[in-house]
């Protein structure tokens, strides 16, 4: 779009961008302004020009910009849509100075293009090269991300079956043969059962992390309802820990019910799990500020040393050995991914032994 505006201001009749194809032999018309571009991004009769052929192919080969003041006297001139007497052609080069394309403009009058035009088009070609690099890097990054996601998904999925087998047979062992085992045998069996349970939770957490959809929120969600569901799910943990949970009136936000539930559940269950000696006392509240809702979950638990504040939101990062508190190290990474999907932010305020407050925002 910006390209169109610039070309109009320069008073050009047309302007065409060619990119070198994968074989490195042909320049293909990829974008145009003027008669070659009837609507939107369409190009009428896109042509390809061989490396070295015509003025476009020459500039593509030499990497040197050219102005032709009278095309009728230049044997290299190739007529595309109609005969024009002036032509200006600049190369688009990548960071290794290799030509990756060409920008070309023609005008019906002789001697139309000036050295100033050459300077402007050369600048446009440099900007185009940067934009192209950005677009291809983005594309590559996206494809690597997709591959990685697929790999983790397949690995996690394939682990489910052997895990189910281990869980199933260790249960059978416990049920039918526990009487024949000595204390050490029973202890080994216990490790086996616990190990497979933990692995199962890890696989489930990983799969739900990968499945988090990044589509834009599409529903009004009442966070009071979400919290109601979370408290039902955490009923046993609340009872076992003698936890007190105080929840203020929460707002209705634009989001996904299941993702918000996962978010609150991870934060509240952590507030219960990372408790200190005293029974957990947890406050959940929200306020509206600067066009966003700020949610806070405060606990009186073991707290977190500020040096770990950023790291705890990374996947698999755990501050304590698994045997102390359990957990997979995926909970807060999931929360971060969810809020970022909503274009919000999550952070923690805490100190060792001082309880923690997790804050997150959801734009209104
Ligand atoms: P986990 O499955 O280990 O609980 P999380 O991603 O939910 O994984 O949390 C990462 C780490 O952050 C935890 O291992 C724990 O050390 C710390 N943490 C999370 N929430 C709290 C909290 N409320 N109080 C103290 N530490 C916490």
């Amino acid at each position: 779009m910006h390209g169109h505006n610039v070309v109009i201001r320069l008073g050009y009749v047309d302007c065409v961008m060619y990119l070198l194809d994968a074989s490195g032999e042909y320049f293909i018309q990829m974008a145009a302004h003027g008669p070659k571009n009837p609507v939107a991004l369409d190009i009428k009769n896109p042509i390809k020009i061989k490396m070295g052929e015509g003025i476009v192919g020459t500039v593509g080969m030499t990497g040197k910009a050219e102005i032709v003041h009278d095309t009728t006297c230049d044997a290299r001139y190739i007529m595309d849509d109609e005969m024009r007497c002036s032509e200006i052609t600049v190369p688009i080069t990548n960071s290794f100075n290799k030509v990756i394309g060409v920008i070309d403009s023609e005008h019906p009058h002789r001697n139309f293009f000036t050295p100033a035009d050459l300077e402007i088009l050369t600048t446009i070609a440099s900007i185009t090269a940067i934009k192209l690099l950005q677009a291809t890097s983005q594309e590559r990054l996206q494809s690597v991300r997709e591959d990685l996601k697929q790999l983790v998904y397949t690995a996690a999925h394939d682990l489910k079956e052997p895990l189910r087998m281990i869980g199933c047979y260790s249960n059978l062992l416990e049920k039918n043969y526990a009487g024949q085992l000595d204390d050490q045998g029973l202890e080994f069996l216990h490790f086996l059962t616990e190990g497979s349970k933990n692995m199962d939770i890890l696989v489930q957490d990983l799969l739900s992390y990968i499945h988090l959809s990044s589509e834009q929120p599409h529903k009004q969600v009442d966070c009071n309802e979400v919290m109601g569901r979370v408290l039902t799910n955490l009923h046993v943990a609340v009872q076992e820990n003698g936890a007190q949970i105080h929840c203020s009136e929460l707002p209705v936000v634009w989001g996904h019910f299941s993702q918000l539930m996962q978010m609150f559940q991870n934060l509240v269950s952590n507030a219960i799990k990372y408790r200190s000696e005293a029974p957990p006392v947890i406050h959940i509240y929200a306020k509206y500020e600067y066009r966003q809702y700020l949610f806070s979950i405060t606990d009186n638990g073991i707290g977190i040393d500020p040096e770990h504040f950023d790291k705890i939101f990374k996947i698999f990062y755990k501050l304590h050995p698994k045997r102390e508190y359990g957990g997979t190290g995926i909970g807060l990474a999931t929360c971060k991914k969810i809020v970022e999907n909503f274009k919000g932010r999550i952070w923690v305020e805490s100190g060792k032994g001082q309880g923690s407050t997790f804050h997150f925002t959801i734009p209104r």
Side-chain angles (χ1 to χ4, degrees), residues 174-313:
E174 198 166 3
K175 212 165 131 200
N176 300 331
Y177 297 94
Q180 298 172 35
L181 295 171
D182 61 9
D183 283 353
Q184 200 176 34
L186 284 173
E187 197 185 10
F188 290 169
L189 189 57
H190 174 72
F191 288 150
L192 190 65
T193 318
E194 285 305 298
S196 80
K197 266 190 214 152
N198 288 337
M199 189 80 171
D200 195 45
I201 296 170
L202 176 69
V203 168
Q204 291 301 344
D205 283 0
L206 248 183
L207 284 172
S208 54
Y209 179 81
I210 288 168
H211 276 311
L212 273 181
S213 119
S214 57
E215 64 190 63
Q216 286 304 301
H218 55 273
K219 268 201 181 135
Q220 299 260 55
V221 180
D222 183 348
C223 293
N224 300 295
E225 262 179 53
V226 173
M227 262 316 290
R229 193 81 77 80
V230 167
L231 290 179
T232 309
N233 292 348
L234 296 178
H235 178 72
V236 175
V238 170
Q239 294 286 310
E240 280 177 359
N241 288 278
Q244 284 179 42
I245 300 189
H246 305 278
C247 186
S248 311
E249 181 69 17
L250 298 176
V252 173
V253 297
W254 205 241
H256 297 279
F257 191 95
S258 61
Q259 292 192 5
L260 282 162
M261 199 175 88
Q262 223 175 329
M263 175 97 196
F264 279 107
Q265 189 154 321
N266 286 347
L267 293 174
V268 177
S269 64
N270 277 351
I272 299 174
K273 184 163 69 171
Y274 298 105
R275 58 171 287 182
S276 50
E277 290 288 299
V281 179
I282 300 159
H283 293 269
I284 299 144
Y285 46 97
K287 61 180 176 182
Y288 180 67
E289 57 172 34
Y290 310 117
R291 298 206 203 139
Q292 63 186 5
Y293 289 109
L294 170 68
F295 290 83
S296 306
I297 289 133
T298 300
D299 66 51
N300 59 339
I302 55 172
I304 303 164
D305 196 319
E307 70 169 287
H308 300 294
F309 282 179
D310 284 340
K311 293 182 218 144
I312 55 170
F313 294 99

Side-chain angles (χ1 to χ4, degrees), residues 7 12-19 27-36 47 49 53-60 65-68 71 76-82 84 86-92 101-107 113 117-118 121-122 124-125 128:
V7 171
Y12 293 180
V13 173
D14 79 344
C15 194
V16 181
M17 184 181 77
Y18 294 77
L19 286 185
F27 290 95
I28 318 276
Q29 292 185 335
M30 300 298 286
H33 165 77
K36 279 216 83 120
I47 60 161
I49 296 180
E53 260 178 21
I55 299 160
V56 164
T58 309
V59 169
E66 277 197 50
I67 295 179
V68 175
T71 57
R76 297 172 303 168
Y77 182 72
I78 296 173
M79 197 178 90
D80 181 359
D81 47 345
E82 57 188 272
R84 299 199 189 92
S86 300
E87 181 161 352
I88 186 167
T89 312
V90 298
I92 306 172
V102 157
I103 297 179
D104 180 72
S105 179
E106 295 181 6
H107 197 274
F113 296 107
D117 289 305
L118 202 68
L121 269 199
T122 305
I124 294 175
T128 308

Side-chain angles (χ1 to χ4, degrees), residues 212 259-260 262-263 334-342:
L212 273 181
Q259 292 192 5
L260 282 162
Q262 223 175 329
M263 175 97 196
T334 304
C335 292
K336 186 163 187 276
K337 200 166 167 190
I338 294 174
V339 239
E340 286 176 357
N341 282 350
F342 296 155

Side-chain angles (χ1 to χ4, degrees), residues 39-54:
V39 274
L41 298 172
D42 288 357
I43 302 183
K44 212 158 84 185
N45 306 327
I47 60 161
K48 56 183 197 176
I49 296 180
K50 203 169 183 340
M51 173 73 84
E53 260 178 21

